[in-house]
Amino acid sequence: MNKDLIWNFEFNEQTKIEFDTSLLLKPAESSGPIKWEVRFFWSEDEQCVLNALTDSEVDLALYEPKNHKDYYYLIPGYEYNLKKRYEKIFYKPLVERSGRALGFGAKQILEPSSEELSQKDLLATQMLEHINQRSIELYVQKEAFGYSFPSSPKTKLELGRVEVLNKVFYTACVEGRSYALVEQIAHHLAPQHQATDYVHFLQQLVQS
């Protein structure tokens, strides 16, 4: 019997005995500046069944709520992760891929510059030109709940409800600085579900 959590999310609690919880309690062997993510999406009519790791992530009272209203900019031929939030345009650079996980560098605020441009500023200027001249703008509204595992470094599970193009989707994301922890947790939560990211998810949505 699965436990309903919120929206279409439910946990299979029989799988807790299969996860080595000691992985959460000891410092990860390696962590660094890259933030690793494994993200999943489901359509509105699908049940989002996840495998439980412990007693904690099945308790909604331990989650922190948040809401975002963003504009994503899709640039044909590119995989740039670009969005406008709080009237600022953010770029989240993809720096590495491994398994189902994507590794991102620190978010950058894109601002035009009239001074002598560095390589970083040239890329920012190019992106802003793409946004102004050839981007596909999508309004994305997300309500989410985040749970922090008792791990070092911090590793989080986010469960979200997304509205885009008058459709509803659900998303789950495991994120943290330790690649090993993110991959192990994501593999246990959803071993068979295909992982993707916002850019490719939105690109496929536009093309469908």
Side-chain angles (χ1 to χ4, degrees), residues 108-130:
Q108 304 169 18
I109 299 176
L110 298 187
E111 296 177 318
S113 175
S114 59
E115 301 176 358
E116 185 176 349
L117 299 178
S118 65
Q119 192 65 34
K120 179 180 175 182
D121 292 329
L122 284 170
L123 180 61
T125 300
Q126 181 187 49
M127 289 182 183
L128 289 171
E129 289 177 353
H130 283 324

Side-chain angles (χ1 to χ4, degrees), residues 9-124:
F9 287 102
E10 57 185 69
F11 278 95
N12 176 4
E13 296 192 281
Q14 302 302 313
T15 59
K16 287 185 288 187
I17 60 173
E18 301 172 9
F19 186 77
D20 182 5
T21 55
S22 67
L23 294 172
L24 301 175
L25 303 178
K26 61 183 179 182
E29 292 183 4
S30 62
S31 63
I34 296 176
K35 188 174 184 180
W36 294 96
E37 296 183 6
V38 178
R39 182 176 291 277
F40 309 104
F41 285 92
W42 293 263
S43 61
E44 184 178 19
D45 57 356
E46 288 183 284
Q47 289 302 116
C48 316
V49 181
L50 302 174
N51 292 328
L53 288 77
T54 69
D55 292 327
S56 298
E57 73 274 2
V58 300
D59 183 357
L60 190 61
L62 299 179
Y63 285 72
E64 180 180 350
K66 60 181 180 180
N67 293 275
H68 289 301
K69 297 179 180 180
D70 301 320
Y71 287 91
Y72 276 81
Y73 298 102
L74 305 181
I75 312 298
Y78 294 90
E79 298 181 349
Y80 295 145
N81 188 316
L82 297 164
K83 67 183 175 186
K84 182 167 71 173
R85 177 181 291 177
Y86 311 129
E87 297 304 315
K88 295 182 179 180
I89 298 177
F90 293 88
Y91 167 53
K92 187 165 72 170
L94 175 62
V95 296
E96 195 169 340
R97 301 174 188 261
S98 183
R100 293 197 294 177
L102 299 181
F104 293 96
K107 289 181 182 178
Q108 304 169 18
I109 299 176
L110 298 187
E111 296 177 318
S113 175
S114 59
E115 301 176 358
E116 185 176 349
L117 299 178
S118 65
Q119 192 65 34
K120 179 180 175 182
D121 292 329
L122 284 170
L123 180 61

